[in-house]
Amino acid sequence: MTPRLTMKTFFKILFAPLLWLVHACSPLGEPVDEEKSNNHYYNKKKNDIRYSPMGNWFELGNSPMNADVESFEVLNKYFGKDKNHVYYEANTIEKGAVDLASFHVKNNEYMPWVGLDKKHAYTFEKVYGKSKKGVKAIIIVGADPKTYTHTDWDWANDGKNRFYKFKMIPGDYETFEIMNESFSKDKTTVFHQNGNSLTTITADP
């Protein structure tokens, strides 16, 4: 037992300076809202927000968000907003693309990358320019933002329509059922799911 304790103590002494150095060099301060996100942190001076996946700035990096600290609110691990912008990860969503005041997310494990406002449900796509990155908001056409919810990573509904990979599908809502990973059906149609595409096989009358 004693040699093992001695070895443990030896490694603590050996690595203590390295751990201190890593901590001292960290650009991250406290988490903004630890319950909602382990990706959003104040900087050391608490005059900006930094986005760092899981706080692992050393390996995964960190990015200044240039956000308004006083009004910044963490929505989940990927979204935040302040009085001026909505942010996806460290990037601002194009201004005017979503309604800032009503923008929100739902606490649903299958839709962490989905945002909603009073008019639409959205997915988002990073856009890379010559000098900076931005985020494009993509409307999920036909989705009611008040009721839109995912039942798994691929399928969603809003109580009236079904959606596959963020696209509304035709068919009878009431008789629709998912059979397996490849097929689903309603009273008149069989649907084939193949990656991001869905094709229909209409039954003979």
Side-chain angles (χ1 to χ4, degrees), residues 131-160:
S131 58
K132 62 179 182 179
K133 292 185 291 185
V135 177
K136 180 181 180 181
I138 302 170
I139 294 172
I140 302 173
V141 178
D144 175 11
K146 292 181 180 179
T147 56
Y148 180 83
T149 188
H150 276 248
T151 53
D152 63 21
W153 294 112
D154 296 330
W155 291 98
N157 71 77
D158 63 4
K160 293 182 179 180

Side-chain angles (χ1 to χ4, degrees), residues 25-198:
C25 293
S26 172
L28 306 180
E30 298 175 355
V32 178
D33 188 334
E34 198 167 13
E35 290 186 5
K36 291 183 179 179
S37 173
N38 61 351
N39 296 338
H40 296 86
Y41 296 82
Y42 294 108
N43 65 1
K44 287 291 184 69
K45 294 182 179 180
K46 215 170 184 178
N47 61 4
D48 193 13
I49 311 296
R50 302 190 80 93
Y51 187 86
S52 179
M54 297 177 289
N56 188 356
W57 65 272
F58 190 74
E59 292 182 315
L60 302 179
N62 77 96
S63 302
M65 297 180 65
N66 300 313
D68 180 74
V69 174
E70 294 299 320
S71 62
F72 185 81
E73 175 189 1
V74 173
L75 301 180
N76 66 13
K77 293 174 70 172
Y78 303 99
F79 291 101
K81 71 176 183 177
D82 63 17
K83 64 180 183 180
N84 301 310
H85 300 285
V86 177
Y87 301 85
Y88 176 76
E89 296 185 353
N91 307 304
T92 56
I93 294 170
E94 53 186 347
K95 199 159 188 176
V98 300
D99 180 70
L100 176 62
S102 65
F103 186 87
H104 64 285
V105 298
K106 288 187 177 180
N107 184 21
N108 180 322
E109 64 176 315
Y110 297 120
M111 49 192 297
W113 304 287
V114 175
L116 311 104
D117 64 17
K118 62 183 180 180
K119 293 182 179 180
H120 301 290
Y122 305 87
T123 58
F124 298 89
E125 180 180 290
K126 291 181 183 178
V127 179
Y128 297 88
K130 291 183 179 179
S131 58
K132 62 179 182 179
K133 292 185 291 185
V135 177
K136 180 181 180 181
I138 302 170
I139 294 172
I140 302 173
V141 178
D144 175 11
K146 292 181 180 179
T147 56
Y148 180 83
T149 188
H150 276 248
T151 53
D152 63 21
W153 294 112
D154 296 330
W155 291 98
N157 71 77
D158 63 4
K160 293 182 179 180
N161 300 292
R162 306 279 179 178
F163 298 82
Y164 178 74
K165 299 284 190 177
F166 307 115
K167 293 181 180 179
M168 188 170 66
I169 66 170
D172 181 71
Y173 183 86
E174 297 300 329
T175 60
F176 180 87
E177 62 176 303
I178 300 169
M179 302 169 67
N180 53 41
E181 292 183 358
S182 298
F183 293 96
S184 52
K185 68 176 183 177
D186 64 12
K187 63 182 179 181
T188 60
T189 307
V190 174
F191 301 90
H192 179 224
Q193 299 100 239
N194 184 15
N196 289 324
S197 66
L198 183 144

